[in-house]
Amino acid sequence: QVQVQESGGGLVQAGDSLRISCAASGRTFTTFGMGWFRQAPGKEREFVAALSWRGGAPYYAVSVEGRFTISRDNNNYATFLQMNSLKPEDTAKYYCAARTTPQLSRSWKHYGGWGQGTQVTVSS
């Protein structure tokens, strides 16, 4: 089993930046990468960004490409999401989870070890 813990959310104004973090523990060696998802009230959970442990280009949702950057600490399984030029529509609870399949995926069904999430609120 893999466990993850998100941190770093908060309340910011439109145009501001924020970095959220994800710490992974447990059987991380059984996973293939990490992904960030978000869910706003009344909406479905949606893919935001992901990377693979073995390297290669990260991939992003169209709505955040060019504004958000996912990265990792090469010494462990910590993952970060740098969010720039935040918009009110980015307001959501952000979750990280470990990818459990070798194929790249934007589907939450291919991720596990979900944390409690961290709230990001962007005011206009």
Side-chain angles (χ1 to χ4, degrees):
Q1 290 279 17
V2 174
Q3 297 82 41
V4 303
Q5 178 67 55
E6 306 92 341
S7 62
L11 171 63
V12 297
Q13 294 187 333
D16 284 353
S17 297
L18 192 66
R19 189 174 90 149
I20 55 179
S21 302
C22 174
S25 61
R27 297 172 61 86
T28 51
F29 59 89
T30 66
T31 64
F32 299 90
M34 190 68 74
W36 283 97
F37 293 76
R38 67 187 182 186
Q39 187 167 19
K43 295 188 176 181
E44 293 188 353
R45 187 169 299 186
E46 64 173 353
F47 170 80
V48 176
L51 54 71
S52 295
W53 300 137
R54 65 182 180 184
Y59 45 110
Y60 300 91
V62 172
S63 59
V64 307
E65 183 124 36
R67 299 188 298 122
F68 289 13
T69 302
I70 186 172
S71 61
R72 65 168 294 189
D73 184 327
N74 288 327
N75 295 319
N76 56 46
Y77 290 92
T79 309
F80 310 98
L81 187 66
Q82 176 68 42
M83 304 181 290
N84 299 330
S85 302
L86 281 161
K87 305 175 181 180
E89 50 264 43
D90 294 318
T91 295
K93 182 165 279 191
Y94 284 70
Y95 300 86
C96 65
R99 196 173 85 234
T100 56
T101 61
Q103 296 82 12
L104 302 180
S105 176
R106 298 168 184 258
S107 171
W108 62 267
K109 297 178 181 179
H110 296 142
Y111 290 78
W114 295 89
Q116 296 298 308
T118 186
Q119 180 67 37
V120 173
T121 303
V122 184
S123 63
S124 57

